[in-house]
Amino acid sequence: APEHLKGDLYVASTFFYQKLTAGGVENGEAGWQNVRRWTRALPHGLLGQRFVVVPINEQNIHWWLAVVCHARHALEPVDEAALGKAPRIVCLDSAQEPPLKNRTVAFLRGYLWKEWCERHPSAISEEGTLDKVSGLVNLQAIAADVPKQANSFDCGIFIIEYLLHLLRSKTALAGLGLAAHKHWFGQASVSYRRTRLKWIANLLQHQAKRLGETDVNRLLQEPKVRRAVAMALTELPRKALADKANLVVSKLKRSSASPEAGDTKKPKTEAA
């Protein structure tokens, strides 16, 4: 994670939600048993993270991204009442007609409640059920207004691009779900990222054969390989760079025309 997010961000495995819901469990509290050891290494537990990113796969057909923001604030009321720190589950889905999120959000809420209970056993009392209901209601679900795919097969690449944007920007996570995000990137960036991911796969395959090593983590320890992969994951196509420049100019023009517009002294900062 970038320096400004270290200790505040946890990105779950792509298998996390699949395991959470495995075995015919009826809710997230029961599913907690399936993944109870997955976050034990975190110094302050999962709820110690300000942001938790969970990749979601719908019936092995469609990928989307759930980002849990400030979950602890829903279960442990704090004085920080700023809008950007409001507890919420933000759903980032590239589908033009995204599937309903009710069941997934309910599972995540149940899991987070059970995780909190396990970390704070002394806080459970006869009023626990009431506290649970009020706390989970505070953890509202938001369908983010994000870039949409122009085809039927790029959903997986879109969640990668969503995550890359959130990691690059210093403001996107703080305001996630609280404003429109369609300006983040376009289909051109996603199509380009697909070609770069293919290039990364070929590079790692070549390195694996050359070194007789199949562990990707070990392959990435090579500085040149690590730098090449990082560049392939962050560089933008020329069209995307041009579109981004045009967007900045357009925002500046709108701001200069409106006396109530925000500060225009930092045009290079990506809006959340």
Side-chain angles (χ1 to χ4, degrees):
E3 287 296 327
H4 68 284
L5 288 175
K6 285 186 176 179
D8 288 330
L9 172 69
Y10 176 77
V11 181
S13 162
T14 53
F15 296 107
F16 178 85
Y17 186 74
Q18 179 182 348
K19 186 65 175 177
L20 175 68
T21 57
V25 294
E26 295 183 356
N27 52 55
E29 292 174 67
W32 179 89
Q33 292 291 339
N34 295 338
V35 293
R36 63 187 184 280
R37 299 178 181 175
W38 287 43
T39 60
R40 286 304 185 192
L42 295 176
H44 303 290
L46 188 71
L47 293 174
Q49 313 297 303
R50 288 195 297 155
F51 306 103
V52 178
V53 178
V54 185
I56 307 292
N57 182 261
E58 299 276 0
Q59 301 177 349
N60 289 325
I61 296 176
H62 180 65
W63 286 98
W64 59 277
L65 205 63
V67 182
V68 184
C69 306
H70 307 289
R72 185 174 61 86
H73 292 191
L75 301 166
E76 294 180 24
V78 293
D79 295 332
E80 300 170 334
L83 180 62
K85 295 180 180 179
R88 58 196 185 275
I89 299 176
V90 185
C91 306
L92 288 70
D93 195 327
S94 62
Q96 296 291 343
E97 296 183 5
L100 295 176
K101 305 294 189 289
N102 297 4
R103 180 177 182 273
T104 301
V105 169
F107 256 88
L108 292 175
R109 283 173 173 160
Y111 164 78
L112 292 167
W113 168 253
K114 180 67 174 179
E115 178 75 7
W116 185 82
C117 290
E118 290 296 319
R119 292 277 181 173
H120 304 82
S122 60
I124 306 303
S125 64
E126 293 181 358
E127 291 78 24
T129 301
L130 179 61
D131 293 340
K132 169 187 172 183
V133 172
S134 60
L136 296 185
V137 166
N138 290 334
L139 193 58
Q140 62 177 319
I142 298 176
D145 186 14
V146 291
K148 300 292 186 177
Q149 62 192 84
N151 53 44
S152 60
F153 51 81
D154 267 341
C155 57
I157 312 299
F158 262 85
I159 71 168
I160 293 175
E161 204 67 21
Y162 290 150
L163 182 57
L164 289 173
H165 179 86
L166 292 173
L167 293 176
R168 285 195 301 261
S169 172
K170 292 185 178 181
T171 60
L173 272 170
L176 190 62
L178 304 178
H181 307 312
K182 284 192 173 181
H183 63 279
W184 282 359
F185 55 84
Q187 179 67 49
S189 294
V190 174
S191 298
Y192 181 73
R193 191 71 60 214
R194 176 180 285 279
T195 65
R196 302 308 286 150
L197 288 171
K198 183 177 180 180
W199 180 87
I200 290 173
N202 290 335
L203 171 66
L204 294 176
Q205 186 178 41
H206 172 76
Q207 287 295 105
K209 289 181 178 179
R210 184 175 69 85
L211 301 175
E213 175 61 69
T214 58
D215 189 322
V216 172
N217 287 327
R218 291 183 179 178
L219 293 175
L220 290 174
Q221 296 305 309
E222 171 62 40
K224 290 183 179 180
V225 174
R226 193 178 185 88
R227 284 196 298 271
V229 170
M231 182 175 293
L233 287 174
T234 55
E235 63 187 6
L236 296 174
R238 290 183 179 180
K239 184 180 184 303
L241 289 172
D243 290 345
K244 193 170 184 179
N246 290 336
L247 176 64
V248 171
V249 172
S250 177
K251 289 176 68 176
L252 282 173
K253 288 181 178 179
R254 291 198 304 270
S255 297
S256 62
S258 172
E260 297 181 358
D263 185 6
T264 61
K265 295 181 180 180
K266 299 179 181 179
K268 294 183 179 180
T269 300
E270 294 176 332

